[in-house]
Each structure stands twice: as structure tokens, then as C-alpha cells.
Amino acid sequence: MERQARPHKPAAAKPRASRARSSVDPRPEAGAPAQPTSAASRKPDDWLSEIAPGTRTKLANLGIASAFDLVLHLPLRYEDETRLVSIHEAPHGQTVLVEGEIVHSEITYRPRRTLVCQIRDSVDSEAGKAGNRGLLHIRFLNFYGSQAKVLAKGVRLRLFGEIRDGFFGAEMVHPKYRVVREGEPLSAALTPVYPTTAGLSQAQLRKCIDRALATCDLTDTLSLSSVPGATVLQKLRLPDFAASVRVLHHPPPDAEPSAFAERSHPAWRRIKFDELLAQQLSMRLNHKRRRDMRAARLAPSRRMAPALLAALPFSLTAAQRKSLAEIIDDLCRPHPMQRLLQGDVGSGKTIVAALAALQAIESGYQVAVMAPTEILAEQHYRKFLLWLAPLGIKVAWLAGNLKKKERQLALAEIAEGTAALAVGTHALFQEHVVFVRLGLAIIDEQHRFGVHQRMALGSNANYAGGKPKLEPHRLMMSATPIPRTLAMTYMADLDVSLIDELPPGRQAIVTKLISEARRDEVIARVHEACRAGRQVYWVCPLIEESEKLQLQTALDTHRVLSQALPDIRVGLIHGRLASDEKAAAMQAFQGNEIQLLVATTVIEVGVDVPNASLMVIEHAERMGLSQLHQLRGRVGRGANPIVQSLCLLLYQKPLGELARERLKIIFENSDGFEIARHDLRLRGPGEFLGARQSGVPLLRFADIERDIDLLDAARDAAGQILEREPAIAERHLTRWLGDKQNYLRV
Ligand code: ADP
Ligand code: MG
């Protein structure tokens, strides 16, 4: 169908699954001037640089920077214009092709100028014969005068669109249509619909793609090899690469529409496999590159760690011991550790990190401890000071508000090596902190940093010692559990340790959903808890659009609660406080001078005040799952078994579908992993990982949950190919990642 009356609407606006979103995402370098591709093999067919600059810019917006990118610009969906259905029998809510004659056509002016036509079905159906039921109303709100002329009584139309129940019965709004003669043949094959951008028509795109298909080198990167690649293709019954892309751009007449729509057709599976293979290869190469780097061998701590363990008021859980053993083992090796220490909120990651730090310190190396927020950094500083100072270790604190002199002193201590451990926010470490002997970097709540920062740390944490450059070992900590499929893909270059049990005596936190209308009851409950000697967090609503408004809300809430509860000591903490004010507020809460702490979401991560047993979260419906889980994890940390920790989620009606689902999930689940799995399902991997900003090439075609068999196969094949035929790995990576490979050289 050539004509489309509907004003152009880019496919990218479709709020569909994340897969569809990521497939139209401009990749990181899109929009930037086309960079020279390292591989010569992509050059000869690259006629893209010769086409009109306007078109080129539009293609660049779609992430298309080379002719070959067009080959991999695969349809977002397909339209089935191969079959006519009767108007009466057409399933409502589904896009269908119908045909009929215009029996009435008029322009109406109420409520606004609209072209309305009535179409009588020309496809026979029992109901169609029986009177009115084969009638369809079509409506155009935007139309040209010429269009109104064409759509006159007696004209036969073929219409493609979604039938809905309108006021007058079945109706289509702004359908695609074409004037046809009686008996005009239908399309022979499915029509691909591409992700596109404003001003670039499907027809233009199709032309470019066809040219790419005709000119680009589509040689299979895998089947050329006698072994691993070809074997896996046979085993999975996957077709040749060239055949696959051709089929996806030009489905054959006999194609099964659902196999194309659901991307289960072998051609789709082949492309998804190739994509997953490229990702697995690059992750493995990355891992290997790290293995080739050198790091200091750190002997297990014989003196300091046992001393700290002896001084602790608790003993480590089995899961903590196991994770620690894995870390100790890594640190003994001469190449840099890159380990993610995962454990649910409150599982006790910090002490494990501290014990790892002692291994570096006792071997004469320094340790950097980084946290995403000032509050969390400060809290780490206190903990490490408490644990390490008795062992004679000097801990430097790189607070944001240090006076110039103090700061210089701290930096000098780090540069000279008198400070064995330095704590600060990540931002602070990015500014010229020079270690004399950095052996270990500990990065808390790593999911907050993303991959870019992981890179930045590597280049910032200098190791000046006149010896060959040694990389620091790295320990990342995260309370956002990474579901297995994600770990296998986006995190495949990390080793993972898991603390899968909470310290004994921890209590389940009871979660309640309460409508905003019952706010008074909640305040009464807070009062009661404070009077019983417990402490309470009151988390103010997240107002993403305006930081100012967010601050105002916090101030208002503080005022209202202070007035409502005159006998309670109410404190306030928010992001706009100076860091010493924040620290003072946290300290006062820690010391029980403040009973009720009104807070913005600045307290989301890591804050640890065991006596706090009640948390109120306002407008919980606005918050993300992991945020709610993290916030809730601030309570339930006390050792007193009689105190029941409680999290009250206040919500405001009406609830959107997604918000309702999130609240249901957080209400029903306490296990961080389970919540993370739901979160991944709701948001898709890009959002979940924050990878969009961090530069990790996202999967465009494969769906790691649905295509788990391909993922497993790609993982195996990657290992074999790298071992036996590295040239194939190189060729495959060049095809799929081109110069994006640099992003993976973390
Ligand atoms: P997270 O894993 O969320 O960072 P923390 O390291 O802050 O958790 O630990 C939460 C609390 O549990 C801290 O007060 C910590 O001292 C305490 N803790 C850690 N390990 C144990 C343990 N094995 N037994 C009892 N309490 C522990
Ligand atoms: Mg923590």
C-alpha cells in the first residue's frame, strides 16, 4: 500500500517490549561522524558515504553508519497484506486487510472536521449477507481535499488497519488504503515494516536496504569454517547468513506470518544466534585480555584479618565465608581480579570487602573504596575506620566538603602511601587521586556506575612506582541481583560471588500497602513506634521532573510532621544539604538523637541504622522496583527479635497498570532476586542495567529470556571458536560490532 493518510509516526514511538525499543536505538556512536571502521573488509561496499547528506543523517539517527548496517537493519514487524478477511469476521484489535466499496462519503464538522466513509464488505461471509454487519466506518481527521474527492461513493478500497468498535459499529481510524479494481491480486508476501525516523519513508529505506543486500559481502562468517561454527549451525538447524537476511527483508510468499512476527523463524534465529555469538566472543576476549594483564599477587592476610574477625561482635555466615574465600583466591593471582560480589540488601557485603582490603594492606598495597553517594561513602568511612584503625591502619576520607588544606593532606597521604585505604565518592576518585601502590579497588553498588566508570577508574587509579605497570584488582559490590540470563550476557566478563543468605536473626519485613487517604493512621503509627523507642524513616515522594519541587516537598513534609508530632525529634535529610549537614543528620539519626528522619531518596543505598524498624514511603507508586527494595532494606537490620520491622507503602489512586504491578510485586516478594527478575521483565535489559548510558552494546534482536537455548549454544560456540579458530572470531566480531569493539576493551 503506497498511500498512508495518517501523518507519519515513527515506529520508534511504539511502546512495545524493550526488544523493539532497543532495535531502533541509535547505538552509542550514532549521530557522530561516521568513524572509519578498523576492518578493511567493510570498506569496498561502503557506498553510504556517497548518498545525500540529508538521508545519511537520518540513517545515522537510526544507528546506520555503513552499508552493512543496512543489512542488519531488520524489520520491526511485518504487515500481512496477503489475505483479505471479511469485515464482520475480522478479529477486533488486530491489524487486518479488508476490501469493500464506498457506499457513503461525507465530511462532518462536529466535533471537528472529519472525513467519514462507509464501506460495504466485498468479501462474502454469512453475516455480511445478513444486512448491516458487513459495514465499516472509516474516519480521517487529517486529510487533504484531494483525498476527499478520491474517496467517493462507488470506489473500491483495500484497507489495512485495526478494526475497533466505534459509536456506529465497526470502524477504522486513519487506515492505510488503496483504491483497487475488482479482483486485483493481493501482495504475494508479508510486507516488512522497518524502524525509521521522521522524514525517512519505508520505501526509501527499503531501497537503501536492497542496494546493501546487493552490494555487501554477505559471506557467512561461520559456515566457512570446517569445525565449531558449522557444527553448531547444523545442530541448531540454522540457515546460512546471506539466506537469512534476504528472507527477513523479503519474506517468501509461503512464509508463516506468526514465525516472522514472533521471530521464531529459522532466519530470525540465525541472526539472533550470530548476535549472541558476537556478544559472547567479545565478552570472552575481554575476560582474556584481563587475564593477560598483570596485577600484584597479594598473600592471604595472616595477622590483620584474623584480628578483625576476632574483634567483630558476630561471626561470618557461611555464604560470606565462601565469597571471601573466592576473593582471597583471586587476589593471590598475578592478574587483576574483576569480581562482582552480589548479595541482597543487608547480606553483609561490607565486612567481606573489609577483609579483602586487609589482604592488600597486609601485603603492602593500598585500597580505594568508592561509593555512589556522599552519605554512603561517609558511612563506609566510619565502618572502615571502626574496623581498621585498631589495627594501626590509616584511613583517608575524601569528603566532598574538605577544605583545601585537608584535601591536600589527604591526597598527599594517599600519594605517599601513609594512608593504606581511602574512601570517597566515585566522582572524587576521578579527580587526580594518585596512589603510590594501589592494589585493590572496591566499588560499592556497582550497578549505579555502569561500564563507563569502570573504564574511568582503570585509567585514573594510577600506579606510580617505577615498576612495570600493575593493574589494581577490582571488587564490585551490588545489591541489585543480576538474573542468570543477564549475568551470562552483559556481565559475562565478570566473575561473580554470591552471598545468598542473610545474617541470622534478621527478620522478615512486613510490607503494607496503604492508600494516601489513610495518612493520619500512618502518622499515628509512626508516633507509636517512636514512643516505643524505635526509629523511623519517612521517605518523601520522588519528583523526577523537578528537583526544586522535590526539595520543597521534603521541607513541607518535615514541617507538617514536626507539627503533628511535637514530642518527637524529627530530622531532615535531602540531596541539597551540604555534605557536612548530611553527615550531621545521619550521625544524629545513628545516635538516636533523631527519632524520625524525613528523607528524600538519598537514603536509598547502603544506609545502615539497625534501630530503625519502620519505614514509610510516600507515593510508592512512582518508584522503581529496585528502588523500593533498596529503601525497604534500610529497616529490618536490628538484632532484636521482638521488634517487627515494617514498611508502609503509601500510594495515591488512581494507579496505572504498571504501577499497580510494581506494588503487587514488592508486596508479594522479599527476595531481591525474585524482584530483580520481575524488574528485568518489566523494564528490559537496557533500562535494568542502565546500559543505555554506559555504552554496553545492547542486544537488538535476541531476547535473552526467550532465546535461552541460542544463548547457551552461542556461549559454547564462542569458547570453541576462540580456542580453535580465532580468525573466525575476529571476522564475526568485525561484522557485528565493527568499531564498537572498543567499548568492550574495559
Ligand atoms: P549490605 O550487604 O547491604 O551492604 P552491610 O554490609 O551494610 O549490608 O551489612 C548490614 C549489617 O549487617 C551491618 O550492620 C553489618 O555489620 C551486619 N553484619 C554483616 N555480617 C553479619 C553477620 N555475619 N552476622 C551479623 N551481622 C552481620
Ligand atoms: Mg552495602
Side-chain angles (χ1 to χ4, degrees):
M1 300 236 150
E2 284 84 8
R3 301 216 35 190
Q4 188 167 10
R6 182 188 348 211
H8 181 79
K9 189 170 158 218
K14 283 221 136 198
R16 244 199 48 141
S18 63
R19 191 154 40 93
R21 267 204 315 270
S22 62
S23 70
V24 293
D25 252 358
R27 275 151 295 157
E29 57 281 62
Q35 284 162 20
T37 308
S38 52
S41 69
R42 287 173 67 138
K43 275 270 157 74
D45 22 296
D46 226 334
W47 40 265
L48 204 68
S49 54
E50 295 150 28
I51 68 171
T55 312
R56 226 183 323 146
T57 311
K58 283 170 202 150
L59 289 173
N61 288 340
L62 293 171
I64 297 169
S66 73
F68 196 85
D69 287 340
L70 282 161
V71 171
L72 290 180
H73 192 67
L74 295 171
L76 192 61
R77 59 194 169 84
Y78 297 85
E79 288 181 347
D80 186 359
E81 295 172 19
T82 65
R83 284 179 305 186
L84 278 177
V85 297
S86 82
I87 289 171
H88 171 67
E89 283 161 358
H92 285 204
Q94 234 173 51
T95 316
V96 291
L97 188 68
V98 296
E99 187 177 310
E101 195 183 302
I102 299 179
V103 290
H104 181 79
S105 174
E106 69 174 318
I107 296 173
T108 61
Y109 291 89
R110 245 173 253 161
R112 52 183 281 208
R113 187 169 167 267
T114 308
L115 172 61
V116 186
C117 305
Q118 252 177 52
I119 315 275
R120 182 174 303 282
D121 208 340
S122 57
V123 177
D124 278 342
S125 79
E126 285 309 310
K129 283 174 200 153
N132 251 355
R133 313 244 298 258
L135 271 187
L136 176 69
H137 292 77
I138 59 175
R139 298 201 289 132
F140 298 96
L141 296 166
N142 299 311
F143 61 96
Y144 300 108
S146 57
Q147 238 175 314
K149 283 207 188 91
V150 170
L151 297 178
K153 191 171 168 190
V155 168
R156 176 180 290 270
L157 288 184
R158 205 164 270 174
L159 300 146
F160 190 73
E162 206 178 284
I163 297 188
R164 282 184 272 179
D165 283 320
F167 189 67
F168 301 105
E171 85 174 11
M172 268 190 197
V173 179
H174 287 206
K176 287 208 303 176
Y177 67 90
R178 191 153 66 95
V179 177
V180 290
R181 283 168 287 111
E182 191 162 357
E184 190 151 315
L186 292 160
S187 319
L190 296 176
T191 316
V193 179
Y194 293 99
T196 190
T197 181
L200 189 66
S201 73
Q202 291 288 325
Q204 277 173 295
L205 249 179
R206 208 164 293 161
K207 219 173 100 193
C208 291
I209 288 168
D210 283 345
R211 182 164 171 201
L213 285 174
T215 55
C216 286
D217 176 11
L218 303 181
T219 317
D220 204 308
T221 47
L222 297 181
S223 57
L224 285 182
S225 88
S226 52
V227 255
T231 324
V232 71
L233 293 183
Q234 272 166 18
K235 211 157 75 193
L236 293 169
R237 294 173 199 271
L238 296 177
D240 172 69
F241 176 77
S244 300
V245 285
R246 292 211 174 93
V247 159
L248 294 178
H249 287 295
H250 294 284
D254 58 354
E256 173 56 47
S258 68
F260 278 76
E262 287 155 23
R263 303 192 171 189
S264 58
H265 188 278
W268 265 127
R269 285 176 48 85
R270 170 61 205 265
I271 297 305
K272 296 198 272 194
F273 174 78
D274 275 20
E275 178 181 45
L276 288 165
L277 179 64
Q279 194 207 35
Q280 292 296 312
L281 285 171
S282 65
M283 285 296 191
R284 262 176 202 258
L285 281 176
N286 195 31
H287 198 271
K288 189 166 161 300
R289 233 172 262 132
R290 177 158 58 82
R291 294 272 143 187
D292 293 342
M293 293 192 290
R294 288 179 27 79
R297 279 173 180 270
L298 308 173
S301 162
R302 299 264 164 259
R303 189 170 56 81
M304 293 175 168
L308 172 55
L309 282 169
L312 288 176
F314 52 79
S315 53
L316 297 187
T317 61
Q320 283 172 316
R321 280 201 302 272
K322 179 161 173 289
S323 296
L324 182 61
E326 287 163 355
I327 294 166
I328 290 174
D329 193 54
D330 276 2
L331 294 178
C332 295
R333 294 170 195 276
H335 36 246
M337 167 172 82
Q338 185 114 305
R339 189 170 278 279
L340 178 66
L341 176 60
Q342 269 194 23
D344 208 343
V345 179
S347 61
K349 297 181 286 293
T350 322
I351 184 65
V352 173
L355 290 161
L358 290 179
Q359 184 167 353
I361 295 169
E362 199 168 307
S363 299
Y365 286 86
Q366 289 170 294
V367 178
V369 178
M370 268 160 271
T373 65
E374 184 94 30
I375 290 183
L376 191 51
E378 159 113 29
Q379 189 168 298
H380 278 331
Y381 170 64
R382 288 182 191 288
K383 272 232 164 111
F384 278 94
L385 200 63
L386 176 76
W387 287 334
L388 305 196
L391 303 171
I393 296 167
K394 178 142 188 90
V395 178
W397 166 226
L398 287 168
N401 61 330
L402 288 188
K403 299 199 183 67
K404 196 167 171 214
K405 259 221 176 116
E406 296 171 317
R407 183 169 171 73
Q408 272 168 352
L409 181 68
L411 289 178
E413 285 174 347
I414 296 168
E416 285 157 14
T418 36
L421 187 134
V423 187
T425 61
H426 187 275
L428 287 166
F429 279 94
Q430 270 186 324
E431 301 158 16
H432 315 293
V433 180
V434 179
F435 287 86
V436 60
R437 277 161 75 80
L438 182 65
L440 171 64
I442 296 169
I443 306 157
D444 198 9
E445 305 298 346
Q446 102 92 24
H447 68 284
R448 289 261 181 140
F449 289 134
V451 173
H452 266 331
Q453 279 98 334
R454 265 205 269 154
M455 272 190 270
L457 171 69
S459 52
N460 266 296
N462 287 313
Y463 179 78
K467 291 188 212 136
K469 181 159 164 89
L470 294 181
E471 283 290 318
H473 294 281
R474 284 173 202 196
L475 179 63
M476 278 133 323
M477 299 193 276
S478 175
T480 301
I482 317 285
R484 187 180 87 94
T485 46
L486 269 190
M488 273 170 74
T489 48
Y490 297 103
M491 300 263 166
D493 59 331
L494 298 181
D495 298 310
V496 179
S497 292
L498 181 63
I499 305 184
D500 55 2
E501 72 183 300
L502 294 179
R506 281 291 158 79
Q507 313 195 357
I509 303 162
V510 171
T511 300
K512 294 199 168 151
L513 297 173
I514 300 178
S515 158
E516 168 68 29
R518 291 169 53 201
R519 196 185 173 85
D520 288 347
E521 286 170 49
V522 172
I523 293 176
R525 193 125 189 193
V526 166
H527 198 186
E528 205 178 294
C530 288
R531 291 227 298 226
R534 288 170 218 144
Q535 287 175 277
V536 180
Y537 292 100
W538 186 294
V539 181
C540 298
L542 178 71
I543 303 173
E544 263 175 349
E545 312 82 58
S546 158
E547 208 189 323
K548 227 167 145 187
L549 216 55
Q550 168 134 7
L551 176 61
Q552 194 51 51
T553 313
L555 296 173
D556 292 346
T557 310
H558 177 254
R559 188 171 37 78
V560 170
L561 287 175
S562 302
Q563 280 163 5
L565 306 169
D567 56 331
I568 303 296
R569 297 181 299 276
V570 187
L572 173 65
I573 191 163
H574 56 75
R576 275 304 179 83
L577 288 182
S579 46
D580 48 351
E581 293 171 313
K582 269 188 229 169
M586 269 329 285
Q587 220 176 334
F589 191 53
Q590 216 122 31
N592 205 356
E593 291 152 39
I594 290 175
Q595 295 164 283
L596 168 59
L597 183 65
V598 176
T600 55
T601 49
V602 291
I603 58 147
E604 177 189 339
V605 284
V607 173
D608 186 31
V609 179
N611 191 45
S613 63
L614 173 58
M615 167 156 298
V616 180
I617 303 177
E618 279 195 82
H619 277 290
E621 79 280 359
R622 292 188 194 162
M623 294 192 191
L625 277 176
S626 86
Q627 196 169 32
L628 285 169
H629 180 61
Q630 291 269 345
L631 280 171
R632 184 170 59 179
R634 301 304 115 217
V635 293
R637 299 183 154 230
N640 184 350
I642 307 161
V643 176
Q644 171 68 67
S645 285
L646 192 59
C647 178
L648 305 180
L649 302 176
L650 285 176
Y651 63 87
Q652 185 136 48
K653 285 189 247 190
L655 286 176
E657 200 180 316
L658 198 61
R660 179 184 302 272
E661 176 147 13
R662 279 200 302 259
L663 290 179
K664 181 166 183 286
I665 291 165
I666 205 78
F667 176 72
E668 287 176 352
N669 294 279
S670 59
D671 176 14
F673 267 91
E674 206 44 53
I675 292 167
R677 257 193 295 278
H678 286 292
D679 202 18
L680 176 63
R681 176 173 59 76
L682 294 182
R683 293 197 294 160
E687 298 283 337
F688 183 90
L689 287 173
R692 225 169 269 276
Q693 290 81 33
S694 66
V696 183
L698 286 175
L699 291 168
R700 301 157 65 198
F701 308 119
D703 175 326
I704 52 179
E705 298 291 329
R706 283 179 50 189
D707 301 319
I708 184 84
D709 66 322
L710 293 177
L711 175 56
D712 279 326
R715 192 160 72 143
D716 290 349
Q720 290 179 35
I721 289 171
L722 279 179
E723 196 173 300
R724 296 200 234 157
E725 308 192 55
I728 289 181
E730 168 101 45
R731 202 168 53 202
H732 191 76
L733 280 172
T734 302
R735 165 164 287 173
W736 276 89
L737 296 179
D739 42 353
K740 287 180 265 316
Q741 282 183 70
N742 292 333
Y743 269 98
L744 293 164
R745 298 215 169 102
V746 174

